Amino acid sequence: MKLITATVLLASIGNGVLSFSTSNKSQPVPTTNIDADGKTIDPLLIRAARGETTERVPVWMMRQAGRHIKEYRDLCKKYPTFRERSEIPDVAVEVSLQPWRNYKTDGCILFSDILTPLPGMGVEFDIDEKVGPVVKPMRTFDDVKKMHLIDPSTAMPFVAEALRTLRQEVTPETAVLGFVGCPYTLATYLVEGKTSKEYLEIKKMAFTEPKLLHAILKNLAESLGEYAVFQIENGAQLIQIFDSWAGHLSPRDYDEFAAPYQKMILDKIKSKYPDVPTVVYIKHSGALVERMAATGVDVVSLDWTVDMAEGRERIAASRKKAGLSGPGGVQGNLDPGVLFGDFATIKERAEEIMKKAGPTGHVMNLGHGIEAATPEENAAYFIETVRNFRHEGQA
């Protein structure tokens, strides 16, 4: 272990509001986990994402940091806007740590948003607590010309600080996870101007001005690749890319407007950090599983509409057809709604998925983000169930 100067986060609840103070102290930071023979052991989740057989199934939950946790809701009283909570490093760190402390998840994901890098590209946004993200619509080439390549160290030093602090705060057995949104999904916000149900504006652009949409997507991909690398260089041990709204595309349009730009980000990561695992997630992606796997991503995160055993077969077959080595990893995929059931149902459904996934290359997760109304005790039981489960032959 080496000594570094760390900002130590002290949190306390007073009058229902979480407050912070910091102190600069030299702290011994366990940057790696070392076995009895002196060999470095990567976190369980990272080893599983690389396709290694592990001693148990690792688990975390998409959106695990946030609204379903009372501590978070208390914190919102003092920091009422999402951007405050995600862009003030000490606050983002505290929110990121809450589910890890409460549930003992194997992954601790940075509390942030897929839109966070936009200002660094010349695109301002806000997050309305009721409406969601709001962006001035981008509909012309003149709008595109206002975009520029991101310099993450200048635009988002708070992300670097938060990631570095998380690496100090969590145990060496815990993976610190970074993420970026994918170009198509970010473009839906840029073109629509806000969250949409039908995505008619971006589809209209795709079919009437495809060159304009491709220009937007290319600009986004170049900056998002830089942002992903920046996260790795500041402590992220895995990068998940979210193309949440690409599930609204037909397979043909996915091949044109989503997959190539996902691959630009993945290729950028692998060109610099080939050993850092990558994960892709798309909501309602049952028709796109083979295409997701063919991008070369290490792990495909399945949503709950895909049977886990069938998903594994489809991923392996697609990778083989594309000339990629190995069957590929898988993440997921419990329906978040199951966490509103009783403990027996949660246990039965979670164990069914793990048995179908098998002992190699599986990271247990939900098939989408945890719902805000989920009881904390049910989330805790889900994590406990996975942590206690063993495949035959596992310790």
Side-chain angles (χ1 to χ4, degrees), residues 75-263:
L75 181 146
C76 292
K77 298 171 186 175
K78 185 172 182 180
Y79 302 95
T81 71
F82 184 92
R83 291 193 66 175
E84 284 179 301
R85 298 189 292 272
S86 61
E87 296 181 15
I88 299 174
D90 285 352
V91 182
V93 166
E94 167 59 21
V95 175
S96 302
L97 290 173
Q98 287 171 355
W100 174 74
R101 285 196 306 250
N102 295 355
Y103 305 141
K104 296 183 174 62
T105 55
D106 295 299
C108 180
I109 191 166
L110 172 70
F111 181 72
S112 187
D113 191 83
I114 60 172
L115 302 186
T116 295
L118 286 182
M121 307 176 204
V123 181
E124 292 299 326
F125 78 98
D126 197 7
I127 296 182
D128 185 289
E129 297 298 312
K130 294 182 179 179
V131 177
V134 179
V135 182
K136 182 180 178 181
M138 184 176 290
R139 306 275 174 83
T140 69
F141 276 102
D142 286 338
D143 293 331
V144 177
K145 290 175 183 177
K146 297 174 184 176
M147 299 178 72
H148 55 75
L149 185 66
I150 197 169
D151 177 4
S153 61
T154 300
M156 292 168 294
F158 52 87
V159 169
E161 184 176 342
L163 284 168
R164 289 176 178 271
T165 304
L166 286 173
R167 284 295 296 270
Q168 297 162 15
E169 294 288 332
V170 301
T171 60
E173 296 82 9
T174 304
V176 172
L177 314 178
F179 70 93
V180 298
C182 286
Y184 180 79
T185 291
L186 264 66
T188 64
Y189 294 102
L190 267 59
V191 176
E192 302 285 340
K194 59 183 179 180
T195 301
S196 174
K197 290 184 177 180
E198 303 298 334
Y199 301 98
L200 296 181
E201 290 296 333
I202 193 168
K203 289 190 175 184
K204 182 168 70 175
M205 183 181 289
F207 302 137
T208 61
E209 296 184 275
K211 290 183 179 179
L212 175 56
L213 181 53
H214 280 298
I216 295 172
L217 294 169
K218 183 173 182 293
N219 282 357
L220 287 168
E222 289 173 348
S223 284
L224 292 166
E226 294 290 336
Y227 181 41
V229 167
F230 173 75
Q231 291 185 45
I232 294 167
E233 291 174 346
N234 285 283
Q237 296 165 286
L238 173 150
I239 297 292
Q240 177 154 325
I241 64 173
F242 287 87
D243 216 348
S244 305
W245 311 135
H248 288 263
L249 292 169
S250 70
R252 173 178 172 175
D253 294 322
Y254 176 85
D255 289 345
E256 180 174 355
F257 297 109
Y261 301 102
Q262 294 169 10
K263 197 169 186 311

